[in-house]
Structures are given as C-alpha cells and as structure tokens.
Amino acid sequence: MVSPVPATNRPGLLDGLDPEQRAAASAPRGPVCVLAGAGTGKTRTITHRIAHLIRSGHVSAGQVLAVTFTARAAGEMRNRLRALGVEGAQALTFHAAARRQLRYFWPRVIGDRMWDLVEGKLRLVGQAAHRVGLGTEPEVLRDLASEIEWSKASLISPDDYVAAAAREHRDPPASPQQIAEVYRAYEKFKNAAQVLDFDDLLLHTTAALEEHGEVAREFRDRYRCFIVDEYQDVTPLQQRLLDAWLGGRDDLTVVGDANQTIYSFGGASPRSLLEFTRRFPEATVVRLERDYRSTPQVVELANKVIGAARNRPAGSRLRLIGQRPKGPEPRFAEFEDEPTEAAAVAARIRNLLDAGVPASEIAVLYRINAQSESFEQALSDADIPYLVRGGERFFDRREVRQAMASLRTASADPPGGDLVTAVRSVLARVGLTQQPPAGGAARERWDALLALVEVAEELAATVEGAGMPRYVAELEQRAAAQHPPTVEGVTLASLHAAKGLEWDAVFLVGLAEGTLPILHAEGDQNAIEEERRLFYVGVTRAREHLWLSWSLSRHPGGRRNRRRSRFLYGLIPEHHPDARPTRGQSAKAGTKPRCRICERPLLDTMDIKLGRCRKCPSNLDADLLDRLREWRGSRAKELKVPAFVVFTDATLVAIAEQRPTDERELVAISGIGPSKVARFGDDVLAVVNDEQA
C-alpha cells in the first residue's frame, strides 16, 4: 500500500462536487467510464479523482499518467492539480508523453542518439510527391500530408493504403495508388534523414513497449494509474499505445462525449468509448449531464441541435440540464452579404464591450479559416482588438522571448518584494508601462507582457512562497507545452480550433448550406452528422450570449443564392422574422443597426458605416470633407502610412455628415474606436469645430 501524500490529505476534498461528479471521483480502482456532456465539469471531476486516488493511498503522484489532446487542456489539468495540492502527477498530451518516454528509452532500444523531430513535414512530402510525379503546390502538399497522417493514425501501412481507402470511402487528392507511392517515398526520405514526425513518436513508443520486455516492465512499474480525457477522439494508434501502457492492467479512467466527436477525418473514432463496457464489463459508468457552463437558453438550443442527430448510439444520448440562472435568448440574423454580416457582428461586439464584457471573453467562430477575413476587417474598422487562433504562437513572439530572457536573468538574483511586484519590475524594463498604449502593435505587445504578469498572479495565489525561479520554471513548462496565457482580444477561430474552449459570448457566423455542413459532406450521412456535432460543439462554447448568423451572398450586390444551414431548422423561434423556410428576405428590425434618419434596419456595409440608408437625404458638408481629407493626407504623410490607415473614405464621409462635437459622438461613428480617438480625436474635432465656426 502506498502511503498517502500529505499535500493532498486535506478534509473535504470531494465536498464541492455534485452527486455524479462525486461518484466518478470516488469510484474504486479499476476501469471507470465517465460520459461527460459539454460544460459538466469533466476536468474538475478528473483532477479530483486523481487527488482522491493519491489521498486514499492507491497510488503516489508520480505513478499517475493523465493524457489529453491539447497542450492547453493538459496545462489546465496541471493547474487544477496544483491547486488541489498534487505535485508530480503527469498531465500531458499523447504526443508529449510519448516523446518523453521515447527519449528515455531510445538509447536502450536503438542504441544511439534519438532522431530529431521534424516540425513540418511538407518539405519531405514535396520530395515524395515530386518522385511520384504529382504537383508540389502548398495546398496539394497539405492534402497529401493529411492523408499520410490519417493512414499512420489508423495503423495503415503504404502497402495497405489502397484497400483501406476504398473500405473507408476516402476522397484522396490523387489516385489511391499514387497516394500509396507518395506515402512510401515519404517514409523512405524521412528515415534517410533520420528524423521523426509526430505520429512516429507514438509508433516507436508503442513498438518499444511491445517488443522489449525490460522496457515494458520498467515503464509499467513506474506508472500504475491512467486517465484519458476526450476519449471519444482517440485514434487506433493512440488506443494501441494506451494498450501498451496498460499491459493488460485495468486501472484506467476514461472521460468522453460521443456527441463531440469531430476529428474522424484524422482517424479519430468514438468506438473505444462506446465499447468500453464490452471490454471491461465490470467498469463503473457515470453520466455527467448537469451543465454549469451555459445558461438554460443556450443549453436548450444545444439539446435541440444534437437531438436531431440520426442513429445516435446509446452511449451518446446525453441530455444536458442547465444549472445556471436564466440568460438572454440566442439571437438569429440573416444578412444580404458577408461584409454586412461582419459589420453587424462587430457592432454587436462593441455593445458587449461597452457593457463590460472583456474582449477575451468574446469569440467569433466559423467553419473554415478563409471566413475570418471579413470579420478581421470589420473588427479593425471598429478598432476592436482581436486574435486569430492558430496564428503566431504566444511564446514565439519577439517581445515574449525578450521578456523570458530578462526573467531568466532576474531569477538568478531576484529583485526584492513579492513575486508579482518583482515580475512587474523586470517587465517594466522591456516595455510594460502602468497604462496601456493607445492601440495597434504597441497595445498587442503590452497585452502580451501583461499576460505574463497574470501568470505570476495565478502562481502566487496557488503556490505558497513561490518566487522568481519557480515562476520562470512555470513559464518554461508552459512554453514547452505551448500553453499560453490569456491575451486580451476577441478570438477569431474555426469551430475545430474552438474545441475545449469557452467564452461569455459566442458568434457562430456563416451558417449557410455548403459551409455548414461543408459542401464535400453532401451525400455522406456520416459526414453530415459529424458536421452537426461540430455545430453542437460551437453552440456549447457559449456561456451566456449566443449569436447565430448567415448571409445570402458573398459580396455586396452579389447573387443571393445561399440558404441558411439545415441545422438551423427547428431552432429559430416561430415568431422570429427569419423562422420561415424560404430564403431571400433580410433580417427584420432589432437584428441590425438602424438608419439614424428613417429608423429602418441597415443592410449594406456602406450604409452601416454612414449610419443611414443611401436613399435617405445626406447632410454632407462638402467643405468639411475637403478639410478632413487634407488633414488625413498630411497626417498619413507624417506617419508614413497609407491614408486609409488613418481613416477610410467612408469614415470621413460619416464624420462630415454627422459633425461630432465631442469624443462621445466621435466614437459612436462606425470605424472609430477608442484607440483612434486617442490618436486622432483632438485633431478631428478641431477640424470639425473650425468648420462649424
């Protein structure tokens, strides 16, 4: 019997859990399956189970290995465990765990230094494609790489690819025979270069455990207890590695939700989750259905979305039960074109920001990354900070690397004072001022440095006596795991990238046929159902505010030949103007900005910028417009930027029409946000006042 760890031997460990969470956390050793719906507290349940197992003496912290699918989720799990007093338990992604194990066992299994990990495989794929006679354009190489990744994740060799592609109804970017040849050549080039890809980490670790008894014995003596999060997304390769870890043992806890299976294109399948009790008939099964994330209004909509799915297996029939107080009803809106939709979303986000919702608690989610352009432009026009998820990594940013270097130096001879004060003192030398700069790149750098301070605040609150060396070690660990802190700004992300995250306000945009469900899913009922699950994931990201919108054409004045997503039918309230099954009408009053003259909803992008319908009379002051253009030209020349960077033509026209007299009226004009008011407000008001005089 392992002695209990004093740090976790604290009374009331399970007191804050609901009955189902408590049942999962306190279940006896052996196989446990937790079917956890969105927002039901699965991470809380997992970490309390780990702490309970350690406290009860079943295992020591160092004998626990918890794996999940993203570095952020693993980092969150480590933070939660630390708050519970658990130090030493491993919480990693599958690939990070395998890489660590392979690095340790490589000299014994292979006999020389471990091969390097290739961060991007497109160069090698390009060589293989050229060998086979296929194109080497970036989009072609990405498709070929995806097919290789699916094959390796599905335990399919080059020799087996043609038959497997036919069996699984794959739609490869070239003939199956050519794909097999590219796959074979890729493996040859990779091995010749003595490098590994991410799938190799899992393959080689599995082989080391399966083929070397002394390696398996050492590993299994070290790790006794396994927890797998997001179990609905395991691939055959990950399941085989898990089986190698277990070695016939059954001290395994899995947590998942088949309703959130959205990665089948990469080889993931909920089969292991749904068949868990067949493999372990004695397993404890707990269902978590109390939703603590979202308001009852959001929960009700989510249940309707997934309730319409076809052929749902028994293990996926979770129905969420909202636990939060009532909130606003989800909002639906139809628009003439994408820019108009984006402008309306930006206007609504501005209202939320003005109401006190932090920018980091707002997200705009779309099906494909190409949809972000309109929303980036609209947010820029409204001077609203945003972050595109999947862009430059936080710890790769220049200012963050500079800050880390300064913090490492300071950790050797820490300045006096508490941790947070010491960190602020160091970061002040690299640009962290007391007050944020007006905006733009300078504000982004300031926000990144402030995020490092917030990590120090979090550490000081959870680790007693934490100093600069412990803080720097925390940052190093986060950087290695790519677990960045939160940076202030509206998040723009694809629905796939949003998995595992949540925000106070979520805008689900571009909900049109051909986009959601995606066009290539048509005719494949399994693919359509996966698209529905993807929509469900998007809905369940929202805590309180949920906006669902679509547009009838891509460009202003374009053919209005789109129709809203089939997944929206039955969701829109009957009294709503867009509840009809036909297409072609615009959203009615209350869903769009209104004309300041006639009070009608504004549909066109230019109308929204002007604040009026183009048919309504203009009170443009031509002389004022000339003066504004003259001022803009000189200011742009001074700043060495194009004129539109200062203000667009449409914004100048709006100023010349509305003639603002103070900053409050100026910031109310579309395209003018607080940072532009701070930079140019006094000049603009001086020009306006001169003209009025």
Side-chain angles (χ1 to χ4, degrees):
M1 179 69 72
V2 178
S3 300
V5 178
T8 60
N9 191 13
R10 49 183 67 175
L13 179 65
L14 306 180
D15 288 352
L17 305 182
D18 68 30
E20 294 78 22
Q21 292 172 343
R22 181 192 293 263
S26 61
R29 68 153 306 280
V32 175
C33 178
V34 183
L35 301 174
T40 57
K42 66 181 179 66
T43 304
R44 178 180 175 83
T45 303
I46 292 172
T47 51
H48 277 74
R49 174 161 179 74
I50 293 171
H52 176 73
L53 289 171
I54 295 170
R55 175 183 176 183
S56 64
H58 173 59
V59 291
S60 66
Q63 294 174 315
V64 175
L65 176 58
V67 288
T68 187
F69 282 79
T70 68
R72 177 176 287 274
E76 175 65 19
M77 197 179 297
R78 288 193 297 270
N79 290 344
R80 299 277 192 98
L81 288 170
R82 186 172 60 207
L84 292 172
V86 175
E87 297 279 356
Q90 297 293 320
L92 302 163
T93 64
F94 266 102
H95 290 89
R99 186 177 189 180
R100 181 174 297 186
Q101 294 159 24
L102 191 60
R103 184 184 297 116
Y104 178 78
F105 289 118
W106 185 280
R108 192 183 317 175
V109 174
I110 307 298
D112 58 2
R113 71 168 186 85
M114 182 173 166
W115 293 359
D116 292 331
L117 183 66
V118 57
E119 293 289 342
K121 59 169 63 74
L122 291 192
R123 183 181 61 83
L124 292 171
V125 174
Q127 293 177 8
H130 180 73
R131 167 73 63 87
V132 176
L134 293 178
T136 56
E137 297 81 6
E139 59 272 16
V140 173
L141 297 184
R142 283 193 292 269
D143 288 343
L144 292 172
S146 295
E147 205 63 15
I148 292 172
E149 288 166 0
W150 170 79
S151 300
K152 298 181 78 168
S154 302
L155 296 172
I156 296 167
S157 70
D159 292 341
D160 297 330
Y161 176 82
V162 174
R167 183 176 64 249
E168 299 297 330
H169 307 289
R170 299 293 291 182
D171 184 20
S175 73
Q177 291 76 14
Q178 288 176 311
I179 298 293
E181 287 303 312
V182 170
Y183 183 6
R184 188 175 290 108
Y186 165 78
E187 289 295 316
K188 180 180 178 180
F189 287 132
K190 179 171 57 64
N191 291 337
Q194 295 192 339
V195 293
L196 305 172
D197 62 24
F198 278 95
D199 292 312
D200 290 333
L201 296 176
L202 277 61
L203 285 164
H204 287 298
T205 303
T206 301
L209 293 168
E210 289 180 344
E211 299 171 11
H212 299 269
E214 73 283 1
V215 169
R217 283 190 292 274
E218 181 176 346
F219 174 85
R220 292 165 190 163
D221 185 59
R222 166 72 190 277
Y223 292 106
R224 306 273 182 96
C225 177
F226 300 87
I227 293 90
V228 184
D229 189 17
E230 304 286 5
Y231 194 53
Q232 78 279 353
D233 287 328
V234 295
T235 65
L237 174 54
Q238 289 166 337
Q239 182 61 54
R240 185 160 176 176
L241 175 59
L242 178 60
D243 291 341
W245 284 343
L246 286 167
R249 297 171 294 173
D250 66 354
D251 203 343
L252 171 66
T253 299
V254 300
V255 185
D257 178 8
N259 291 331
Q260 298 186 66
T261 303
I262 59 173
Y263 295 111
S264 64
F265 62 86
S269 169
R271 184 176 305 157
S272 294
L273 174 66
L274 298 174
E275 296 180 353
F276 190 80
T277 53
R278 292 186 187 177
R279 179 177 178 182
F280 301 106
E282 73 284 11
T284 299
V285 179
V286 181
R287 299 165 67 93
L288 303 183
E289 296 178 298
R290 303 179 198 239
D291 188 306
Y292 298 97
R293 174 188 298 160
S294 306
T295 63
Q297 286 77 8
V298 173
V299 168
E300 180 184 5
L301 188 72
N303 283 332
K304 287 181 179 179
V305 169
I306 203 63
R310 299 183 183 180
N311 303 321
R312 296 172 70 196
S316 69
R317 294 173 192 164
L318 297 171
R319 181 172 180 81
L320 300 176
I321 305 168
Q323 303 295 302
R324 291 188 55 188
K326 289 184 178 181
E329 292 291 337
R331 300 179 65 174
F332 300 85
E334 181 180 278
F335 297 93
E336 295 292 308
D337 52 68
E338 287 182 7
T340 304
E341 180 183 8
V345 166
R348 174 62 179 156
I349 289 175
R350 171 58 63 195
N351 291 339
L352 290 172
L353 294 173
D354 292 344
V357 179
S360 58
E361 288 295 347
I362 302 173
V364 179
L365 307 181
Y366 34 77
R367 175 60 178 86
I368 57 175
N369 289 322
Q371 292 174 269
S372 74
E373 182 180 0
S374 295
F375 297 93
E376 291 183 56
Q377 183 63 54
L379 292 173
S380 295
D381 289 346
D383 204 24
I384 296 172
Y386 65 88
L387 303 158
V388 180
R389 188 166 177 79
E392 183 182 22
R393 292 179 172 182
F394 177 84
F395 287 102
D396 291 340
R397 296 176 63 167
R398 183 169 178 267
E399 63 272 16
V400 174
R401 287 188 282 108
Q402 288 178 336
M404 293 275 284
S406 296
L407 290 165
R408 288 190 198 99
T409 301
S411 68
D413 185 18
D418 63 274
L419 175 61
V420 176
T421 301
V423 169
R424 277 190 174 275
S425 175
V426 174
L427 296 181
R429 304 170 201 160
V430 293
L432 183 65
T433 56
Q434 287 296 319
Q435 297 299 322
R443 177 58 187 262
E444 290 183 9
R445 290 192 293 270
W446 189 89
D447 284 337
L449 296 177
L450 184 65
L452 295 176
V453 175
E454 290 169 351
V455 172
E457 292 173 341
E458 177 186 327
L459 187 67
T462 57
V463 177
E464 185 176 355
M468 187 69 78
R470 178 68 175 81
Y471 167 71
V472 170
E474 172 72 13
L475 290 181
E476 299 283 7
Q477 186 180 45
R478 284 177 175 244
Q482 283 301 328
H483 175 216
T486 299
V487 178
E488 197 62 26
V490 173
T491 299
L492 298 179
S494 70
L495 288 166
H496 281 101
K499 179 71 171 65
L501 304 176
E502 58 187 76
W503 296 269
D504 286 346
V506 168
F507 291 77
L508 297 179
V509 300
L511 302 178
E513 285 289 303
T515 304
L516 190 75
I518 199 73
L519 184 62
H520 59 68
E522 195 62 53
D524 183 341
Q525 191 56 47
N526 289 332
I528 292 293
E529 290 307 318
E530 179 139 334
E531 293 288 296
R532 189 193 308 276
R533 293 193 295 271
L534 190 57
F535 181 39
Y536 173 77
V537 166
V539 169
T540 55
R541 300 309 94 194
R543 297 192 191 103
E544 184 171 358
H545 304 279
L546 179 61
W547 164 292
L548 305 96
S549 62
W550 60 99
S551 56
L552 300 175
S553 66
R554 182 175 182 182
H555 301 293
R559 289 185 58 195
R560 298 160 62 199
N561 57 356
R562 292 177 174 174
R563 58 189 176 92
R564 69 173 180 264
S565 170
R566 70 190 72 180
F567 301 146
L568 291 169
Y569 296 146
L571 301 183
I572 305 176
E574 292 184 5
H575 65 274
H576 193 279
D578 290 319
R580 67 203 183 289
T582 57
R583 71 185 190 213
Q585 282 188 319
S586 299
K588 297 297 187 286
T591 63
K592 299 180 176 66
R594 291 175 173 271
C595 173
R596 55 188 164 83
I597 298 173
C598 71
E599 288 293 310
R600 290 176 180 164
L602 298 176
L603 308 178
D604 184 83
T605 304
M606 183 60 71
D607 292 355
I608 292 173
K609 282 186 170 293
L610 293 176
R612 63 167 176 84
C613 305
R614 269 179 278 189
K615 293 182 179 180
C616 287
S618 170
N619 53 352
L620 175 70
D621 187 325
D623 291 336
L624 173 56
L625 182 58
D626 288 341
R627 283 287 302 274
L628 287 167
R629 284 174 173 161
E630 181 180 350
W631 165 81
R632 180 183 65 174
S634 62
R635 196 75 172 93
K637 184 177 181 180
E638 176 185 334
L639 296 173
K640 297 180 181 180
V641 297
F644 72 85
V645 172
V646 180
F647 284 124
T648 63
D649 286 343
T651 301
L652 292 187
V653 170
I655 295 171
E657 284 193 358
Q658 300 179 46
R659 294 188 291 275
T661 60
D662 56 31
E663 289 188 356
R664 181 183 58 81
E665 293 179 359
L666 188 60
V667 81
I669 297 174
S670 178
I672 304 179
S675 68
K676 288 199 174 182
V677 168
R679 295 185 72 187
F680 308 122
D682 290 343
D683 290 351
V684 171
L685 292 174
V687 173
V688 173
N689 290 331
D690 285 344
E691 287 299 315
Q692 288 178 333

